Amino acid sequence: MKVAIAGATGFVGSRLVDRLHSLEHQVLVLSRDAARARRVFPVSVYPNLEIVAYTPTKSGIWQQSLGGCDGVVNLTGAPIAEGRWTTARKQEIIDSRKLTTEKLVEAITNANPKPAVLVSGSAIGYYGTSETAVFEESNAAGNDFLADVCQAWEMAAQPVKNGGTRLVILRLGIVLGMGGAIAKMLAPFKLFAGGPIGTGKQWFSWIHREDVVDLIVFALTHPQVEGVLNATAPNPVRMAEFCQVFGTVLNRPSWLPVPSLALEVLLGDAAKVILEGQQVLPKRTLSSGFEYQYPVLKEALEEVLASA
C-alpha cells in the first residue's frame, strides 16, 4: 500500500517510516522542510520514498499528492511539555493540531481516488487528570486545556468519514523509546540523582514506541478497525513505580525526588503534563485483536535501555 505521513521526521513518525519501508510499502513524507527530510531519509537507504514539501496549516498544491494514497497518518503537533504555556504558545499547540488536521481532511476529501483510511493522532490528555479514576475509550472528555486541545484535534478529523474514508483516532500515552521522555530522564539517573517527579502518586500511562508503530500499521491494514483506540500499554503504573523500575533496569537508585515547585517554576502551566496523570486502559485496542510486544513496564524499559 501507499501511505502518506505527516509528522514523519518525529519520534514516532521516523520509526513508522522504517517499519513501512521494511514491509515494502510505499511511503510519501509530507514535510515542512524537505531538505531536512532528505537528510533524515537519504535516498541511498530509502530509494522508493517520496518527499513532498507542504505548509501544514494552508491549502496548496501539496494536497494533490494524497490522491492515489491508500492511507494517511497524521502525527503532527507542536511539543506540549516544552516551555511555558503563554497565550501564544497555547495557540500554537492548538493550531498545529487542529488546522493541520483540517487541511489533511480537505486534501483527502478532494483526492481522486480517496485514501481508504486516516489514522490521526490524539492524546490521553483528552480525559483530563485524576489519581483515582480509570479511563477507557468510552469515557467523556475532561475540562482542562489539554482536553480542549484533544477535542478540537479529534473533531477536525471527523468530517473525513463523510466521504467514506475510514477514521482511526489514536489517543497516545507517554511513548517510551530512546528519545523523548526517556532521554530527559536518563542523565540524572546515570548520575545517581534520579527519582520520582512530584508526589510520585500520579499515574503514568505509557506505551513502547514499537507498539505505537505496530498499532498504526494494524490500523492501516485492518479494515474492521475504526474509531478511538487508546495507544497505551495495558499496565499503567504510578510515577514512583515507574522511576523505581527505571532505576532497577539501569542499576541505579531512585531516591532523589524532583519537587513539584521546581517544575512549576521552570515550565509554569506546562508542568501539569508531568505532575498530573491519568490511569488509561486500552479496552477497545485489546478487543480489536491488537497484540502488544511490550505490555509490561520492566520488559519495555529493558529493551529501551539495553544500549544506554
Side-chain angles (χ1 to χ4, degrees):
M1 65 189 306
K2 183 176 182 180
V3 181
I5 306 174
T9 58
F11 183 53
V12 172
S14 58
R15 187 69 187 101
L16 176 62
V17 171
D18 285 341
R19 179 68 56 78
L20 291 172
H21 177 72
S22 70
L23 294 172
E24 299 185 346
H25 295 297
Q26 292 179 271
V27 179
L28 185 153
V29 168
L30 297 171
S31 177
R32 291 174 297 173
D33 186 342
R36 177 175 178 271
R38 291 187 184 96
R39 292 193 296 272
V40 174
F41 306 116
V43 67
S44 58
V45 179
Y46 305 91
N48 298 320
L49 183 140
E50 183 181 354
I51 296 173
V52 173
Y54 83 140
T55 302
T57 59
K58 295 183 179 180
S59 304
I61 195 170
W62 65 267
Q63 292 175 305
Q64 297 176 15
S65 65
L66 270 58
C69 289
D70 300 291
V72 178
V73 179
N74 176 20
L75 297 172
T76 57
I80 292 286
E82 295 184 9
R84 289 180 171 273
W85 285 350
T86 62
T87 300
R89 179 65 175 158
K90 284 184 174 181
Q91 196 62 51
E92 180 188 8
I93 288 170
I94 294 173
D95 289 349
S96 64
R97 290 162 171 78
K98 178 177 181 289
L99 298 183
T100 299
T101 302
E102 288 175 349
K103 293 306 174 185
L104 287 171
V105 168
E106 179 179 279
I108 292 170
T109 299
N110 294 326
N112 186 21
K114 290 180 175 62
V117 56
L118 169 62
V119 180
S120 194
S122 183
I124 58 174
Y126 177 93
Y127 302 109
T129 60
S130 175
E131 286 190 5
T132 58
V134 178
F135 298 104
E136 299 173 352
E137 290 91 344
S138 59
N139 282 95
N143 56 10
D144 58 15
F145 170 66
L146 290 182
D148 291 344
V149 170
C150 292
Q151 288 181 83
W153 196 0
E154 294 184 15
M155 286 299 296
Q158 293 298 323
V160 80
K161 297 187 294 185
N162 297 335
T165 295
R166 178 168 58 93
L167 175 62
V168 182
I169 290 176
L170 301 184
R171 291 180 183 154
L172 287 157
I174 298 168
V175 181
L176 304 184
M178 191 44 69
I182 294 294
K184 293 178 181 179
M185 296 180 69
L186 192 57
F189 270 88
K190 283 194 166 185
L191 294 171
F192 296 86
I197 299 170
T199 66
K201 296 179 181 179
Q202 68 271 38
W203 282 99
F204 191 91
S205 293
W206 59 277
I207 185 169
H208 194 291
R209 183 170 63 163
E210 294 301 310
D211 282 327
V212 175
V213 170
D214 284 348
L215 184 55
I216 294 171
V217 175
F218 182 81
L220 286 169
T221 56
H222 286 72
Q224 77 277 14
V225 176
E226 60 182 348
V228 175
L229 301 178
N230 284 334
T232 58
N235 297 292
V237 297
R238 293 189 186 269
M239 175 64 77
E241 181 181 349
F242 175 84
C243 291
Q244 188 273 323
V245 175
F246 193 95
T248 298
V249 172
L250 277 177
N251 196 27
R252 295 291 192 276
S254 174
W255 62 274
L256 189 63
V258 179
S260 301
L261 181 60
L263 280 177
E264 290 169 354
V265 169
L266 181 64
L267 297 176
D269 290 344
K272 75 172 295 166
V273 176
I274 303 168
L275 296 174
E276 302 177 23
Q278 55 278 103
Q279 184 182 12
V280 178
L281 299 180
K283 183 177 181 179
R284 288 195 76 243
T285 306
L286 289 168
S287 66
S288 73
F290 178 74
E291 297 182 1
Y292 289 82
Q293 289 189 64
Y294 301 99
V296 178
L297 179 63
K298 188 172 186 290
E299 296 171 357
L301 287 177
E302 284 174 344
E303 194 284 329
V304 171
L305 298 171
S307 59

